[in-house]
Amino acid sequence: MIPWLTPESHFPPLDTALLKPSGLLAAGGDLSPQRLIEAYRRGIFPWFNEGEPILWWSPDPRMVLFPGELKISRSLRKTLKKDNYEIRVDNAFSEVMQACAAPRGEQPGTWIHAEMISAYTALHEMGVAHSVEVWMRGELMGGLYGVSQGKVFFGESMFSRIPDTSKIAFVHLVKQLERWGFHMIDCQMKTTHLASLGGREISREEFGQKLKELVNYTERVEKWCFDHEPIE
């Protein structure tokens, strides 16, 4: 059994999460900014379908990317050097979330529903959640969003309307975070997409230990602006 959170209760220890389904830690609570920030600082995130109770997760192992380990393939490097796109940051946060929520292939939709969009938009307005966007000819063609705490960026979702645009956004994000001295990007679950970019799994215990230090750095609570240095 997992605990049911009330508005006053805190999250249980991470090592109490279930093995099956992997990482399920608690249910209930709310998606207030305070609750979400507490969750991320402890290595926990919400993931649930519309109409269901809020479910909180902390999987083991955890997929992360350390900025210095970013991998850029030869073909992606060529794409990055083209001048047919523009990187914007925090320009269209809600649009990015809605694009991430759109059906993909045979999937009718995602876990990104109205309740989640409202909750993360509130974090964005506080300067805690951010979007990185790829624009082409004035149209939003790809991007990602996530949450920043200290020197950690917690990636939530990404989308592409044409090939490689989410990768373009991700590479620009990683390069900027590296310049700002960020130490880790949380990718939550293992995917081949993120593994191809240098993501790898670490234990939940190691992840939690790193968070204890990294989330306590001075926070960039503001609208982000990238340096837009060329990617070699």
Side-chain angles (χ1 to χ4, degrees), residues 55-181:
L55 299 178
W56 300 94
W57 303 79
S58 183
D60 187 17
R62 189 79 167 226
M63 186 76 163
V64 301
L65 185 139
F66 299 102
E69 297 180 4
L70 176 67
K71 295 179 182 178
I72 306 175
S73 67
R74 184 176 299 177
S75 60
L76 179 57
R77 199 174 296 277
K78 289 180 180 178
T79 299
L80 289 163
K81 291 183 177 181
K82 293 180 180 179
D83 60 0
N84 63 337
Y85 68 89
E86 177 189 359
I87 296 292
R88 301 180 191 175
V89 189
D90 289 341
N91 183 78
F93 184 87
S94 293
E95 289 180 56
V96 170
M97 284 202 72
Q98 289 162 4
C100 289
R104 306 183 188 191
E106 297 180 356
Q107 297 178 358
T110 72
W111 48 271
I112 305 170
H113 41 77
E115 188 177 4
M116 293 286 275
I117 292 173
S118 176
Y120 283 83
T121 298
L123 288 181
H124 172 65
E125 291 170 352
M126 294 170 60
V128 173
H130 303 275
S131 62
V132 182
E133 310 139 18
V134 179
W135 293 78
M136 294 181 173
R137 298 178 296 278
E139 295 186 17
L140 179 62
M141 301 306 292
L144 59 86
Y145 76 96
V147 172
S148 173
Q149 285 292 291
K151 294 296 185 182
V152 184
F153 185 83
F154 301 86
E156 277 297 316
S157 188
M158 57 178 64
F159 79 98
S160 293
R161 288 179 172 150
I162 61 174
D164 286 342
T165 47
S166 66
K167 289 184 177 181
I168 292 172
F170 187 74
V171 170
H172 279 273
L173 169 69
V174 175
K175 290 294 187 180
Q176 183 64 62
L177 293 181
E178 188 173 31
R179 289 192 287 269
W180 283 340

Side-chain angles (χ1 to χ4, degrees), residues 22-23 28 54 121-122 152 156 189 202 211 226:
S22 178
I54 301 171
T121 298
V152 184
E156 277 297 316
M189 305 285 197
I202 62 175
L211 283 187
F226 281 8

